[in-house]
Amino acid sequence: MSRQKRYWTVVSVILIWLGVLLTGCTLEGWEMAGERSGNASLPSEAEGEGELRVLFLDVGQGASQLLISPSGYTMLIDAGNNDKEDEMLRYLEAYGIRHLDLVIGTHPDADHIGGLDRVIDQLDIGEVYMPKIQSNTKTFESLLTSIRDKGLKVKTAKAGLELTWDEQVQVKMLAPATVTDDNNNMSAVVKVTYRDTSFLLTGDAESESERVMLESGANLRADVLLVGHHGSKSSTTARFLNAVKPKYAIIQVGDNSYGHPTKTILGRLAKQKVEVYRNDLQGTVEIVSDGQGYQIMTER
Ligand SMILES: [Zn+2]
């Protein structure tokens, strides 16, 4: 440790203790919050450097990712099924989120956008992105109504977009690159890069979309992969997995009759020595990046 760094460490420790004395918080409470579980984030003043938090919220059979940037900007990708609306709102409240700078509905299926209407009704929303594909379901229409009632306009999610979020973090959309009437393959795929760390969030993109992404020449490499379509064997082709080369994989899955996640995909991930985390087994999974490495916490 350099002398300067040691100096700053000592100064931070003193400042933290002063903060503790002044606010009456206990350090114990902070450690618990840091250890995880849905409740609170560490006070940002106590952190030496900015951290990117990516939460794979346990919404049962469905998907939802909440991202909090190093400077405190927020992003929500999907919000689980209709029957998870209250749970979604509770999660957001627990994490102290009242404003979402970016909201992305990956595709119109209910297990992804079902809870988004209530979230949009209840919170202060910046921008909303969705792919250009319609659906005649009540769920989809109710989402459009919420967006309209809030005076918001949907921006088109498509490959090549670079979203403005936090200047320290790059947010790129890698799909959809083509237009198809297949909901899953129209999924918005988002790559989030913070210094040396990266996350690839794939919605329900299947092999067809994976092929197009591979052919586009986009840089698919990412340390953390949200496994496509809840671990269905229609996604996560060997070629795609090879290009992403993740260290960690998250499967957002709950009780289901589809056989998700499939043995094929679990086997493929194991063969590549990818460390797998699952909502159905571990509850909400939180990955914190300091820009160089990862800290992974699970609810159980
Ligand atoms: Zn899905």
Side-chain angles (χ1 to χ4, degrees), residues 61-63 78 106-107 109-112 184 203-204 229-230 252 260:
Q61 180 68 10
D78 292 339
T106 58
H107 65 297
D109 286 356
D111 58 323
H112 295 253
N184 286 347
D204 276 353
H229 198 194
H230 322 282
Q252 293 216 274
H260 296 162

Side-chain angles (χ1 to χ4, degrees):
M1 198 186 270
S2 71
R3 179 175 293 186
Q4 200 176 14
K5 198 152 182 194
R6 193 158 32 210
Y7 169 77
W8 280 114
T9 307
V10 171
V11 169
S12 331
V13 168
I14 292 170
L15 286 175
I16 288 167
W17 270 108
L18 271 177
V20 168
L21 290 174
L22 288 173
T23 58
C25 296
T26 63
L27 266 185
E28 197 183 356
W30 285 15
E31 275 161 11
M32 276 183 50
E35 232 174 77
R36 99 115 292 143
S37 251
N39 307 336
S41 56
L42 279 165
S44 55
E45 306 81 58
E47 289 167 24
E49 280 165 298
E51 290 178 331
L52 168 68
R53 301 173 72 194
V54 180
L55 294 127
F56 298 86
L57 302 174
D58 180 11
V59 289
Q61 180 68 10
S64 180
Q65 303 106 57
L66 171 66
L67 292 86
I68 305 169
S69 86
S71 322
Y73 293 100
T74 52
M75 181 188 330
L76 183 69
I77 303 180
D78 292 339
N81 224 320
N82 291 297
D83 61 353
K84 293 293 189 290
E85 289 179 341
D86 291 335
E87 207 171 327
M88 272 309 303
L89 293 176
R90 276 199 300 273
Y91 275 132
L92 293 167
E93 202 190 333
Y95 290 107
I97 312 272
R98 280 184 218 96
H99 173 93
L100 288 166
D101 296 289
L102 279 179
V103 171
I104 300 173
T106 58
H107 65 297
D109 286 356
D111 58 323
H112 295 253
I113 60 154
L116 268 186
D117 54 346
R118 282 283 304 285
V119 170
I120 289 174
D121 291 344
Q122 301 292 323
L123 276 82
D124 182 27
I125 307 291
E127 292 178 310
V128 180
Y129 283 88
M130 291 204 288
K132 229 180 180 66
I133 184 164
Q134 297 288 324
S135 173
N136 55 12
T137 59
K138 263 216 161 88
T139 299
F140 186 70
E141 264 152 34
S142 150
L143 172 56
L144 292 185
T145 305
S146 291
I147 292 170
R148 205 178 33 239
D149 288 353
K150 210 73 199 236
L152 296 161
K153 283 214 167 75
V154 178
K155 298 192 171 176
T156 303
K158 59 179 180 202
L161 279 187
E162 205 154 313
L163 308 187
T164 307
W165 190 44
D166 181 318
E167 58 179 21
Q168 302 177 72
V169 183
Q170 191 190 46
V171 182
K172 251 187 150 169
M173 239 173 232
L174 306 185
T178 47
V179 178
T180 152
D181 55 8
D182 179 275
N183 274 359
N184 286 347
N185 281 314
M186 279 302 281
S187 283
V189 173
V190 181
K191 183 172 173 183
V192 177
T193 309
Y194 176 40
R195 295 199 238 153
D196 298 338
T197 63
S198 47
F199 298 75
L200 188 62
L201 309 169
T202 53
D204 276 353
E206 299 190 22
S207 55
E208 176 56 22
S209 172
E210 291 179 357
R211 187 185 59 78
V212 177
M213 282 188 267
L214 283 161
E215 282 169 8
S216 75
N219 179 4
L220 303 177
R221 255 296 286 130
D223 291 333
V224 181
L225 170 69
L226 169 63
V227 174
H229 198 194
H230 322 282
S232 151
K233 66 173 192 287
S234 55
S235 303
T236 324
T237 53
R239 262 184 78 206
F240 187 74
L241 191 59
N242 231 346
V244 180
K245 277 198 179 48
K247 291 189 187 112
Y248 312 105
I250 319 300
I251 304 177
Q252 293 216 274
V253 73
D255 265 346
N256 69 87
S257 54
Y258 313 107
H260 296 162
T262 58
K263 278 206 175 101
T264 312
I265 300 307
L266 291 175
R268 200 167 283 162
L269 292 164
K271 209 174 141 196
Q272 289 237 19
K273 299 192 166 50
V274 184
E275 209 171 294
V276 175
Y277 293 85
R278 294 167 55 163
N279 285 149
D280 59 340
L281 302 179
Q282 290 152 303
T284 292
V285 179
E286 172 170 5
I287 305 190
V288 179
S289 154
D290 62 2
Q292 289 167 327
Y294 305 88
Q295 204 188 340
I296 304 180
M297 290 153 282
T298 61
E299 192 174 14
R300 51 176 188 267

